[in-house]
Amino acid sequence: MNDLDAYRRQLVPPINIDESIVARGNSCSENDSAHGLSVEMIEHLKLLATAVCCADDSVVITTANLEFPGPAIVFVNKAFTRMTGYGPTEAIGQTPRILQGEKTDRTILERMKLDLKDGGVFYGQTINYRKDGSEFVNEWHIEPIYNITIANR
């Protein structure tokens, strides 16, 4: 399973994002518009998916649960895998705690939790750990993303 397959499982309604379409920038299929989205919107989503998947910076998308056991990872891009050694199938469904260890600054994590609970943006850095146990400095820029449909109910 690759990044796009793992992410595709999380989309509601499912959108047919074919990896070859993303890789080559081809247009969408007729089946895509059957989900009630315009062809233009589907093309826009595919463009965004390509940008996120190919970004040089690590992109991790999680659920919003801030209480124990914490948020679950629902998407990681290739840069995350290069940085941490965890592939999408290993990371998705896990909590970002898989990256924490002895030198991870708990005060930074608490500040992150408080900032995010208040609906704010969080910037910070601490030591995290790769799959092989080696350390790296993790620098975060985290912004909450809200489902407008749910928020307006």
Side-chain angles (χ1 to χ4, degrees), residues 48-102:
L48 291 172
T50 301
V52 169
C53 289
C54 297
D56 284 336
D57 290 329
S58 174
V59 176
V60 178
I61 300 174
T62 69
T63 61
N65 181 23
L66 296 174
E67 300 305 323
F68 189 82
I73 297 171
V74 297
F75 173 84
V76 299
N77 69 352
K78 292 175 186 175
F80 172 88
T81 298
R82 283 192 306 273
M83 182 173 67
T84 68
Y86 289 100
T89 56
E90 298 169 295
I92 291 173
Q94 299 291 323
T95 173
R97 287 188 178 100
I98 62 173
L99 303 174
Q100 297 171 12
E102 180 182 345

Side-chain angles (χ1 to χ4, degrees), residues 14-152:
I15 298 173
N16 180 22
I17 301 178
D18 185 296
E19 189 173 329
S20 63
I21 291 171
V22 172
R24 292 190 309 269
N26 292 346
S27 61
C28 60
S29 70
E30 290 178 20
N31 291 337
D32 292 330
S33 59
H35 296 293
L37 299 173
S38 70
V39 171
E40 293 80 16
M41 178 58 82
I42 293 164
E43 291 298 326
H44 184 72
L45 290 171
K46 289 177 182 178
L47 177 64
L48 291 172
T50 301
V52 169
C53 289
C54 297
D56 284 336
D57 290 329
S58 174
V59 176
V60 178
I61 300 174
T62 69
T63 61
N65 181 23
L66 296 174
E67 300 305 323
F68 189 82
I73 297 171
V74 297
F75 173 84
V76 299
N77 69 352
K78 292 175 186 175
F80 172 88
T81 298
R82 283 192 306 273
M83 182 173 67
T84 68
Y86 289 100
T89 56
E90 298 169 295
I92 291 173
Q94 299 291 323
T95 173
R97 287 188 178 100
I98 62 173
L99 303 174
Q100 297 171 12
E102 180 182 345
K103 293 184 183 176
T104 303
D105 187 337
R106 302 294 173 209
T107 60
I108 298 294
L109 299 177
E110 277 303 312
R111 185 170 57 86
M112 178 195 327
K113 185 176 176 179
L114 291 173
D115 287 355
L116 295 175
K117 274 188 170 184
D118 289 340
V121 175
F122 172 78
Y123 296 95
Q125 68 179 36
T126 191
I127 301 293
N128 272 353
Y129 296 84
R130 293 179 182 89
K131 182 179 174 181
D132 68 9
S134 62
E135 298 175 3
F136 68 97
V137 175
N138 190 36
E139 189 172 319
W140 288 291
H141 171 183
I142 303 174
E143 295 197 28
I145 300 171
Y146 301 98
N147 183 329
I148 295 170
T149 305
I150 293 172
N152 289 333

